[in-house]
Amino acid sequence: MVLRSCWKSRHKNSCGPAGWIRPALLWFCVTQCVCGIGAVEESTHVIQKEAEFDVTYNDTVTSQNQTIYAFNHTISRNKTEGVRVTVDVLSRGSDSPILFVVRQKQAVLSFQIPLILRGLYQRKYPYNHVGRTLCQPPTRASSENQFFFVDVSTLSSQGTNYQLRVSRVESFTLQTDTKFSFTASPSQPQYFKYVFPDGVDTVIVKVNSDMTFPCSVMSIQDIQCPVYDLDNNVAFIGMYQTMTKKGAITVQRKDFPSNSFYVVVVVKTEDEACGGPLRFYPLRPDELIDAGNRSKLIDVVVTPAINSEVYVRGMLFILGIFLSFYLLVLLMTCVENKRMKNREVFQIPADMSPAETGQTAASPYEYGSFADNGSTLSSEAITDSATSTDNNYGYIERSLDGVGRCRNESLSSVEEDDYDTLDDINSDKNIVRTKKYLCVSDLSRKDKRILSKKYQIYFWNIATIAVFYALPVVQLVITYQTVVNVTGNQDICYYNFLCAHPLGALSAFNNILSNLGYVLLGFLFLLIILKKDIVHNRALFRKDLNALECGIPKHYGLYYAMGTALMMEGLLSACYHVCPNYTNFQFDTSFMYMIAGLCVLKLYQKRHPDINASAYTAYACLAGVIFFSVLGVVFGKGNTVFWIIFSVIHILATMLLSTQLYYMGRWRLDSGIMRRMLNILYTDCIRQCSGPMYIDRMVLLVLGNIINWSLAAFGLLERPNDFASYLLAIAICNLLLYFAFYIIMKLRSGERIGCLALVCILFTAVVWGFALFFFFQGLSTWQKTPAESREHNRDCILLSFFDDHDIWHFLSSIAMFGSFLVLLTMDDDLDTIQRDKILAF
């Protein structure tokens, strides 16, 4: 009857606070009876109090008396005011906790004191001082009075003293571009409301602290009850990320129908998630651990993000930068074509030898001087050897008609396995390749059709690899992005959160867009190579002697593979930046290994076309490198056994490659290798002390071994966490060493570097310098925890859209394109020099 009368009177607005207390008391008594508490012999005494805000209540609670505090709260639609409940238990050693239940119109909040929060390995941390903010339900009325109740009860027969204080949070709503400071702890989380202002669709919530530890979590949640603001439930809803000193989350209006959201900050019970130390595991599983003082002073500020105009400006900027290279190449092509048309063309008769045309240039290494040391033949002897049946080594005088006829035949009818022109003169290649001074003509004796098809396989193989590699990568990163969007876990991906601009489902569109330069410049390089290939084929069709017998042999298959690799590097780097983390970092580096390997192969192929590695062998070796890269990322961190195995394989591979290069492939790895090595050591070092026959090659290989052995020792001793970058450093060091050797030997041989090649070298070196500067800024790193990585985050520096790493993408793509042009143009000065006058080194 009491409940019924109160219910009726409440609808008549005559019940008042006391009318609210009666049904609340009845509900509480029924609940206690259901739980078995009413089975005690003594009657439970319930104390009802009409409480006020900002008043501290000191009371005692036992199992025989419970207290209900009633608060009258006015809610306004135009003003959001927070309410915070703070409780402190003064008595220690109670056998039962105190239960606090806060009942609101549309929500119920309950917690016990001491509040037990769990850590790793089921550690238990008790807190006797608890502060919680009440959820604020929305109201349609302009102003509404609502009551809420705080029920205090316990099962302990001993009296427990406590303090209760309910206060209003005046600055509960955050203002745009206004910093707000507060203090939080594991038992006293904080959250505040933010409302999107008119005309702002995206904001960045930035949370900062001068304290690295304790570790904390920031969360963005919708305006609904309950609010998950404890360490054990903050990840249940919304977007969240761990933080030490910095945290930032980009929030879009479209994700929150109420045009507002809560910014929740929770301090964790342990620091392990942020890379901090982990406490000693307690010997007794149920032992309570004193967490100490884990309060943290935090600043939060909400700033508007960029608008659509900045997106458009950023996209137009990157298109303008890289399309300008297309215009520059088109202009240079037009100038070159005009110059070629204006030049007087001398048509050389087919029956004239290259020596009679006068188109060859003098070389410091003439064959007369070669004959003096007994290592080679004179030019006359070479010519005569073509007709000799007893001495079939030396140069073969080839008919120009035969060469032209070969070029007109279909390449599809020629296979390298069908026949090898060197097999018929096997003794010749064994002798020629061991001469002291080799020329390009010595190592370009195979049929051009065979070599052309051999090197075209590089392109078709890498195109096939790219398709099979890229499709699952795209599928995987889409799954990563979907998981991030669904779970809200911002710790999965290592973005620069202070400059991560979303677009659609993508969280960091600017980091993806900045990789467009690799694709555009890679495609432009393919167009340049296609144009050169067409011009060269036309020259061969005209039986141009310069194309047939002069300059470095033109094989464009590796160039096509390099351009494709550059495009794939852009695509896979973009895939990596969809959700950058340590598990998919190999996507960003795999084709970097490819590019480095292909550049080394191209440098070697220039003067050793007959003995360069086949596409199958090269890609098999690169596959082994990527295999070790994956193993290093997964198992290499601090694993001594892995580093010992890798260092041994690294050193053995270096020695085998050195032997292959020194003897130009004229050696065998079989059971007699040790006997032959001992024989060489005895004859060359003990019996007679003689220096190496190929001094230049020996100097290169000795330097290469010193560098690689040093890198292997560094890896074994230091065991760097970023194994993929360490492996890439090995590849780049070897590439730079071989490139420096090539340039030095080119200048020593009396050759010169053309004007265009020199401009490309200088331009590329400058761009690489600036690119590396931005690369080493380190805006994030997956070698650390996500919270530690965010300490390196920085704001955008270009057009309010691109960060330092985006500029690295711009400059490195330009530098790679310039490096490819250096390889393409560095031997243009030899196009009118006979190949038997060009040294092979």
Side-chain angles (χ1 to χ4, degrees):
M1 293 297 295
V2 174
L3 177 60
R4 184 181 304 169
S5 62
C6 183
W7 178 263
K8 293 180 180 179
S9 62
R10 186 185 65 175
H11 285 277
K12 296 177 183 179
N13 295 327
S14 60
C15 186
W20 281 90
I21 294 176
R22 290 191 185 98
L25 175 60
L26 180 59
W27 173 86
F28 181 77
C29 293
V30 172
T31 305
Q32 301 300 323
C33 292
V34 173
C35 296
I37 299 178
V40 296
E41 295 180 359
E42 300 83 5
S43 61
T44 303
H45 180 61
V46 178
I47 302 174
Q48 309 172 29
K49 293 184 179 181
E50 294 185 12
E52 297 180 358
F53 287 91
D54 299 319
V55 176
T56 301
Y57 294 93
N58 292 279
D59 286 322
T60 302
V61 63
T62 66
S63 59
Q64 283 75 39
N65 67 296
Q66 292 114 27
T67 306
I68 299 178
Y69 299 89
F71 293 87
N72 186 0
H73 182 43
T74 302
I75 298 178
S76 176
R77 183 177 58 187
N78 299 326
K79 180 181 179 181
T80 302
E81 198 174 56
V83 176
R84 189 163 181 83
V85 177
T86 304
V87 180
D88 191 7
V89 173
L90 304 179
S91 302
R92 310 289 181 180
S94 178
D95 55 348
S96 298
I98 302 177
L99 178 64
F100 292 84
V101 179
V102 182
R103 293 179 288 111
Q104 299 174 262
K105 183 179 179 180
Q106 297 180 6
V108 175
L109 172 66
S110 64
F111 56 89
Q112 71 174 44
I113 296 183
L115 179 64
I116 305 298
L117 297 178
R118 295 181 181 271
L120 290 177
Y121 310 113
Q122 299 302 313
R123 293 184 178 88
K124 296 179 180 179
Y125 299 93
Y127 294 91
N128 291 310
H129 185 70
V130 177
R132 304 291 295 276
T133 302
L134 301 185
C135 181
Q136 297 300 306
T139 179
R140 295 182 179 179
S142 59
S143 180
E144 179 182 355
N145 290 333
Q146 291 186 1
F147 290 90
F148 67 90
F149 306 92
V150 180
D151 303 342
V152 185
S153 62
T154 183
L155 294 180
S156 175
S157 58
Q158 300 177 358
T160 305
N161 298 327
Y162 65 90
Q163 287 183 347
L164 172 67
R165 182 181 179 89
V166 178
S167 57
R168 291 183 173 89
V169 182
E170 299 294 340
S171 54
F172 183 69
T173 302
L174 298 174
Q175 303 299 319
T176 305
D177 288 326
T178 301
K179 184 173 71 173
F180 179 73
S181 301
F182 59 91
T183 301
S185 68
S187 62
Q188 300 180 74
Q190 299 272 12
Y191 66 85
F192 304 92
K193 183 179 180 180
Y194 180 80
V195 180
F196 282 97
D198 294 337
V200 176
D201 294 327
T202 308
V203 295
I204 302 177
V205 181
K206 302 177 182 179
V207 179
N208 299 288
S209 177
D210 294 332
M211 305 168 60
T212 302
F213 298 112
C215 178
S216 55
V217 178
M218 67 172 296
S219 172
I220 304 297
Q221 300 181 22
D222 200 357
I223 305 296
Q224 61 183 9
C225 299
V227 177
Y228 297 96
D229 59 349
L230 289 177
D231 184 21
N232 56 6
N233 62 17
V234 70
F236 286 179
I237 194 173
M239 298 179 289
Y240 65 93
Q241 62 179 221
T242 56
M243 60 161 288
T244 52
K245 290 186 175 182
K246 288 183 180 181
I249 295 180
T250 300
V251 186
Q252 301 182 76
R253 183 195 291 263
K254 66 181 181 63
D255 297 328
F256 297 92
S258 62
N259 295 330
S260 57
F261 57 86
Y262 284 137
V263 179
V264 184
V265 178
V266 178
V267 176
K268 296 183 70 66
T269 56
E270 295 175 336
D271 298 329
E272 189 270 342
C274 296
L278 195 61
R279 295 198 176 200
F280 182 75
Y281 187 80
L283 298 178
R284 294 187 295 274
D286 295 330
E287 180 181 1
L288 298 178
I289 303 174
D290 184 10
N293 182 18
R294 292 187 65 80
S295 298
K296 189 170 186 175
L297 181 62
I298 296 172
D299 301 328
V300 59
V301 60
V302 183
T303 60
I306 61 175
N307 54 29
S308 58
E309 294 180 0
V310 180
Y311 279 85
V312 174
R313 190 161 59 242
M315 289 185 282
L316 292 178
F317 171 79
I318 190 171
L319 288 175
I321 288 293
F322 294 108
L323 290 181
S324 63
F325 282 88
Y326 281 77
L327 295 178
L328 180 61
V329 171
L330 179 61
L331 179 63
M332 294 181 64
T333 303
C334 293
V335 172
E336 178 68 16
N337 290 339
K338 185 176 181 180
R339 186 177 62 88
M340 293 296 294
K341 290 180 180 179
N342 294 334
R343 179 191 300 175
E344 183 179 0
V345 179
F346 295 94
Q347 187 66 32
I348 303 173
D351 57 349
M352 295 180 61
S353 66
E356 294 174 321
T357 64
Q359 293 185 12
T360 60
S363 172
Y365 299 96
E366 296 293 341
Y367 280 94
S369 60
F370 291 168
D372 294 339
N373 55 40
S375 300
T376 60
L377 302 175
S378 64
S379 57
E380 293 82 358
I382 292 172
T383 304
D384 295 337
S385 65
T387 58
S388 175
T389 57
D390 297 330
N391 300 321
N392 60 349
Y393 56 90
Y395 297 100
I396 300 178
E397 189 71 18
R398 288 171 288 187
S399 171
L400 294 180
D401 295 335
V403 173
R405 204 165 45 247
C406 292
R407 295 305 306 174
N408 292 328
E409 293 181 8
S410 173
L411 291 179
S412 61
S413 64
V414 182
E415 295 289 345
E416 188 177 12
D417 295 335
D418 291 344
Y419 65 91
D420 188 341
T421 56
L422 295 185
D423 287 340
D424 298 333
I425 49 172
N426 189 61
S427 60
D428 177 74
K429 67 180 179 183
N430 283 318
I431 294 176
V432 168
R433 294 181 189 174
T434 55
K435 295 191 304 182
K436 187 171 183 179
Y437 297 106
L438 279 171
C439 294
V440 172
S441 58
D442 298 326
L443 299 175
S444 58
R445 302 166 61 81
K446 288 185 178 181
D447 190 279
K448 293 181 177 65
R449 299 173 301 166
I450 298 174
L451 291 182
S452 178
K453 189 166 185 178
K454 171 184 177 180
Y455 291 122
Q456 284 296 332
I457 296 176
Y458 273 96
F459 168 70
W460 292 113
N461 278 9
I462 200 170
T464 306
I465 293 170
V467 172
F468 279 92
Y469 193 89
L471 289 179
V473 167
V474 172
Q475 180 183 8
L476 180 62
V477 295
I478 290 176
T479 303
Y480 266 118
Q481 186 67 73
T482 303
V483 170
V484 172
N485 295 339
V486 171
T487 64
N489 185 359
Q490 302 285 303
D491 284 351
I492 296 177
C493 307
Y494 286 71
Y495 301 117
N496 175 19
F497 287 89
L498 294 178
C499 187
H501 304 301
L503 182 66
L506 301 174
S507 298
F509 174 70
N510 55 303
N511 294 146
I512 300 172
L513 178 65
S514 60
N515 289 282
L516 184 62
Y518 296 104
V519 179
L520 293 179
L521 294 183
F523 185 70
L524 177 59
F525 186 74
L526 290 179
L527 294 179
I528 295 173
I529 297 304
L530 179 62
K531 184 256 183 186
K532 283 187 168 290
D533 196 5
I534 293 174
V535 171
H536 179 66
N537 288 333
R538 289 175 179 174
L540 292 177
F541 183 79
R542 297 194 309 266
K543 301 179 183 179
D544 189 329
L545 288 180
N546 284 341
L548 293 171
E549 298 294 336
C550 297
I552 299 296
K554 303 296 189 296
H555 301 293
Y556 294 103
L558 271 169
Y559 284 128
Y560 285 119
M562 290 162 56
T564 305
L566 185 58
M567 295 179 64
M568 287 305 302
E569 171 58 28
L571 174 62
L572 294 179
S573 179
C575 290
Y576 165 72
H577 284 89
V578 170
C579 182
N581 56 57
Y582 82 99
T583 58
N584 59 15
F585 183 60
Q586 61 159 315
F587 303 158
D588 196 24
T589 57
S590 296
F591 273 81
M592 290 185 184
Y593 305 138
M594 292 279 193
I595 291 173
L598 291 174
C599 288
V600 171
L601 288 171
K602 186 58 195 178
L603 270 176
Y604 190 75
Q605 182 213 48
K606 280 177 171 291
R607 308 200 182 220
H608 313 80
D610 285 355
I611 60 175
N612 202 22
S614 66
Y616 307 110
T617 303
Y619 289 131
C621 293
L622 291 173
V625 171
I626 296 175
F627 173 75
F628 272 102
S629 174
V630 175
L631 290 181
V633 170
V634 178
F635 304 107
K637 190 173 182 179
N639 192 330
T640 305
V641 176
F642 169 81
W643 280 99
I644 292 175
I645 295 175
F646 174 76
S647 299
V648 171
I649 294 177
H650 182 193
I651 292 174
L652 289 177
T654 302
M655 295 175 63
L656 291 175
L657 183 61
S658 300
T659 306
Q660 176 75 13
L661 294 177
Y662 185 78
Y663 290 106
M664 295 287 186
R666 310 314 302 158
W667 69 291
R668 295 190 307 275
L669 182 61
D670 52 20
S671 57
I673 184 68
M674 294 302 299
R675 176 178 55 81
R676 293 194 296 273
M677 289 175 59
L678 293 175
N679 185 36
I680 291 175
L681 290 175
Y682 174 74
T683 56
D684 292 352
C685 299
I686 299 177
R687 187 174 179 180
Q688 59 179 4
C689 186
S690 58
M693 182 175 181
Y694 315 109
I695 298 177
D696 296 325
R697 254 181 277 168
M698 178 60 70
V699 171
L700 168 67
L701 296 175
V702 168
L703 289 176
N705 277 266
I706 291 175
I707 292 175
N708 281 276
W709 286 50
S710 300
L711 290 172
F714 172 80
L716 186 60
L717 296 176
E718 297 296 330
R719 295 192 289 275
N721 293 331
D722 191 355
F723 181 79
S725 297
Y726 167 77
L727 203 58
L728 184 61
I730 294 176
I732 293 177
C733 286
N734 283 277
L735 172 60
L736 292 178
L737 175 65
Y738 189 42
F739 180 76
F741 170 81
Y742 191 96
I743 293 294
I744 293 172
M745 291 302 299
K746 181 178 177 67
L747 297 177
R748 281 194 60 199
S749 303
E751 301 172 8
R752 61 181 182 85
I753 299 177
C755 181
L756 180 59
L758 186 60
V759 170
C760 290
I761 291 174
L762 296 177
F763 172 77
T764 303
V766 172
V767 176
W768 269 124
F770 283 104
L772 292 175
F773 169 78
F774 287 101
F775 174 76
F776 287 112
Q777 295 304 304
L779 301 181
S780 62
T781 171
W782 49 260
Q783 300 177 51
K784 300 180 181 179
T785 62
E788 291 175 308
S789 173
R790 275 185 277 275
E791 294 183 17
H792 303 281
N793 289 176
R794 287 201 292 272
D795 293 324
C796 304
I797 64 172
L798 180 62
L799 301 177
S800 299
F801 192 74
F802 299 111
D803 60 16
D804 298 74
H805 197 73
D806 295 325
I807 298 178
W808 149 256
H809 287 159
F810 298 154
L811 297 179
S812 62
S813 61
I814 295 173
M816 287 186 183
F817 177 71
S819 301
F820 289 0
L821 292 182
V822 170
L823 292 178
L824 183 63
T825 61
M826 64 189 305
D827 287 317
D828 286 352
D829 60 301
L830 304 178
D831 286 345
T832 58
I833 298 179
Q834 284 184 293
R835 290 170 189 165
D836 57 2
K837 306 295 184 181
I838 303 174
L839 281 180
F841 39 76

